[in-house]
Amino acid sequence: MTLEEVMNPSEVLSLPMQENDAGAKTIREYLVKLLETLWQEHECFNAKRPFGFSGWKYDIYASLVQAKAIGGDAHLHPTNQEEADALIEAAIRTLANV
């Protein structure tokens, strides 16, 4: 099964987010806020804690697990992080129209 058969990148971008430090309502909004933060903070950007805490990727993973786009555990952590990352990377390329 390909990633597109699970959920296409546009659908991934539209997935709702749980409460998060970026204040984003969807994965699209979260990724845009992440890029805005990188641009605004440039050399002071903290990739480990862009929104103040180090588990920021898990905000996105939780949305993917909750939507059943990927498998996950009871804590909404992905069972296959590479699969989750591939879905988000495809979504980023879609967001950028690449």
Side-chain angles (χ1 to χ4, degrees), residues 32-84:
V32 168
K33 287 182 181 244
L34 183 63
L35 184 56
E36 287 173 340
T37 302
L38 169 63
W39 188 259
Q40 291 165 358
E41 296 180 1
H42 48 92
E43 65 190 33
C44 295
F45 179 76
N46 186 337
K48 187 172 181 180
R49 294 180 176 84
F51 302 121
F53 102 108
S54 63
W56 63 272
K57 278 184 144 185
Y58 287 90
D59 288 339
I60 294 176
Y61 293 152
S63 294
L64 294 174
V65 171
Q66 201 163 34
K68 298 189 182 348
I70 59 170
D73 64 20
H75 300 289
L76 301 178
H77 292 162
T79 51
N80 184 336
Q81 191 167 333
E82 291 80 21
E83 179 184 22

